[in-house]
Amino acid sequence: MTWQPFYTGTGEPPERRVELSAPPPWREFPRRSLHQQFVPPQGLVEAVNAALVLRRPLLVTGPAGSGKSTVIEQVAAELDLGTVLRWHITSRSGLTDALYRYDALGRIHAQRLEGPGGSDDIGPFLRMGPLGTALLPSDRPRALLVDEIDKSDLDLPSDLLDVLERGEFEIPELARYGRDVVAVREWGGEDLHEVRRGRVQCTEFPFIVMTSNGERDFPAAFLRRCIRFTMPMPTPETLLRVVAAHLGADAARSEAAGELVGAFVERLTAGEGLAVDQLLNAVHLLAGSAAPDEERRQAVVDLLLRELSRV
C-alpha cells in the first residue's frame, strides 16, 4: 500500500467523499485463514509430524505474534481435518466448560412453562465444549487449538491429563438421565451427536495444539505427555519470507522492508518484546511508493513498533 493520510485533523469534511483503502489481508472480515501465508520455522514440521504419529498434543511456546496459533490452521487445511475448534484460555477457564455446557436454569424454566406432563428432553440444554467436540467419535481426527494455556489457573494442566490420556469423559447429567441415548449439539455448529449412557469416547485422537507465551512453568507429568516446540528467534531471511507471503514479493524486496526488518531483528536481539504482526503492519504502511516524509515516517514506526512490555 502507499501511505495515505485520510484524516487531516481539521474537522472539515473534504469536497469529495474519502474512500478508505483496502485493509491488509490479516484484517479482512469475515476473518479468513492465513494458513497459506504461514512459513513454518525450522524444526516445526518434524514436531507436528511427531505429534500426529504419536497422538500427543503439541505444545508450542513463543512470543505473541510469532505464528503459534496459525500452525494448526495450516495442518488442518493440509490434512483435511475440518474447521479448527478453539478454546481460548483465561484464568477462569475450567475443564468442565471445555468438555460440555449444561443450561440447568434454562431447562428448569422450560419445564415451568410447559407444566406437568410436558417434555423433559435434556438434549436442547446441553452443548459440547471445544474439547468435548474434539473427543466425539469420528472417522478423522478433529483439530483443536488450546490458546494461551499459560494463562490458566495452576490446576488446569493437571486436570487435563486424565482426559488426554484416556480420550474419554463422562457427562454426569446424562449418566443419571432416564434415556440411554441423547443427541447433543457440537461446539461451534448445530450438528447433533448421539451420546450413549453419558460417556464420550473418541475413536480418533484429535490433533491438539496448545500455545504458551512462556510466562509460566508446567508440571513435569503434563510436559512429558506433550511434544514440545519453541519458536526460534526470527532472522532477517525468515522475516522477509513472511513479508513476501503476506504482502507479495515486491514488498519484501523494497528498501523500506529491508530497513524495517533489519531494525526489527536488532531490537529483538537486544531483548525487546515485539511481534511479527507489528512488523507486517509497518511494512504494509511504509513500503509503498508514496511513503511519508522522514519525520512522519519515524512517527509511524514509533507508533507501530512499540515495545509490548511498555504501556
Side-chain angles (χ1 to χ4, degrees), residues 164-242:
L164 296 182
E165 282 298 289
R166 297 172 59 84
E168 65 178 8
F169 66 95
E170 181 182 75
I171 301 177
E173 290 83 358
L174 293 186
R176 299 190 297 264
Y177 191 55
R179 285 164 37 195
D180 286 343
V181 180
V182 176
V184 181
R185 289 174 298 166
E186 68 174 28
W187 180 258
E190 296 303 320
D191 289 346
L192 297 175
H193 299 266
E194 291 186 344
V195 177
R196 297 180 177 273
R197 298 182 180 86
R199 294 209 66 80
V200 174
Q201 170 71 66
C202 77
T203 52
E204 288 287 343
F205 189 77
F207 175 62
I208 301 175
V209 171
M210 297 182 286
T211 70
S212 168
N213 293 330
E215 297 177 357
R216 60 174 280 193
D217 296 325
F218 296 103
F222 174 77
L223 292 176
R224 73 178 179 84
R225 289 170 169 84
C226 300
I227 304 297
R228 290 176 282 165
F229 181 81
T230 300
M231 300 293 277
M233 179 75 73
T235 65
E237 293 74 22
T238 59
L239 288 173
L240 286 173
R241 286 202 299 270
V242 171

Side-chain angles (χ1 to χ4, degrees), residues 6-303:
F6 301 104
Y7 168 66
T8 62
T10 64
E12 294 293 331
E15 294 181 3
R16 298 177 59 186
R17 181 178 179 181
V18 174
E19 297 295 337
L20 298 180
S21 60
W26 54 91
R27 293 300 296 168
E28 292 178 353
F29 295 91
R31 295 295 297 272
R32 62 184 179 89
S33 172
L34 297 175
H35 63 272
Q36 292 180 322
Q37 288 75 32
F38 179 67
V39 181
Q42 184 176 5
L44 180 58
V45 171
E46 289 75 16
V48 167
N49 284 317
L52 287 166
V53 172
L54 297 174
R55 305 303 198 270
R56 291 291 189 185
L58 174 64
L59 176 62
V60 182
T61 302
S66 58
K68 302 186 299 298
S69 59
T70 313
V71 175
I72 194 167
E73 294 181 358
Q74 191 172 73
V75 175
E78 190 170 320
L79 302 184
D80 191 23
L81 302 183
T83 302
V84 175
L85 301 163
R86 296 173 182 274
W87 178 19
H88 185 73
I89 300 294
T90 70
S91 60
R92 300 181 300 276
S93 297
L95 178 61
T96 299
D97 283 344
L99 295 174
Y100 72 97
R101 312 285 175 91
Y102 173 49
D103 184 7
L105 293 178
R107 186 182 178 202
I108 293 172
H109 182 64
Q111 289 173 329
R112 288 176 177 173
L113 289 177
E114 294 185 8
S119 172
D120 187 33
D121 185 7
I122 195 175
F125 305 99
L126 281 164
R127 181 186 287 271
M128 306 303 294
L131 176 57
T133 300
L135 292 174
L136 287 167
S138 59
D139 296 331
R140 293 184 63 76
R142 294 297 304 268
L144 171 66
L145 173 66
V146 184
D147 202 18
E148 297 191 330
I149 192 169
D150 50 347
K151 297 290 195 299
S152 70
D153 67 29
L154 294 176
D155 294 329
L156 182 60
S158 298
D159 293 342
L160 275 170
L161 291 180
D162 184 60
V163 173
L164 296 182
E165 282 298 289
R166 297 172 59 84
E168 65 178 8
F169 66 95
E170 181 182 75
I171 301 177
E173 290 83 358
L174 293 186
R176 299 190 297 264
Y177 191 55
R179 285 164 37 195
D180 286 343
V181 180
V182 176
V184 181
R185 289 174 298 166
E186 68 174 28
W187 180 258
E190 296 303 320
D191 289 346
L192 297 175
H193 299 266
E194 291 186 344
V195 177
R196 297 180 177 273
R197 298 182 180 86
R199 294 209 66 80
V200 174
Q201 170 71 66
C202 77
T203 52
E204 288 287 343
F205 189 77
F207 175 62
I208 301 175
V209 171
M210 297 182 286
T211 70
S212 168
N213 293 330
E215 297 177 357
R216 60 174 280 193
D217 296 325
F218 296 103
F222 174 77
L223 292 176
R224 73 178 179 84
R225 289 170 169 84
C226 300
I227 304 297
R228 290 176 282 165
F229 181 81
T230 300
M231 300 293 277
M233 179 75 73
T235 65
E237 293 74 22
T238 59
L239 288 173
L240 286 173
R241 286 202 299 270
V242 171
V243 170
H246 285 273
L247 298 174
D250 289 343
R253 286 194 294 263
S254 69
E255 182 180 352
E259 292 176 356
L260 288 167
V261 165
F264 185 85
V265 172
E266 286 183 9
R267 292 176 62 182
L268 285 180
T269 304
E272 292 191 47
L274 295 168
V276 174
D277 54 358
Q278 291 176 281
L279 173 65
L280 290 173
N281 290 337
V283 175
H284 179 70
L285 285 182
L286 300 175
S289 58
D293 58 59
E294 186 60 31
E295 182 179 350
R296 182 166 293 184
R297 180 184 185 280
Q298 190 57 50
V300 173
V301 170
D302 294 341
L303 176 70

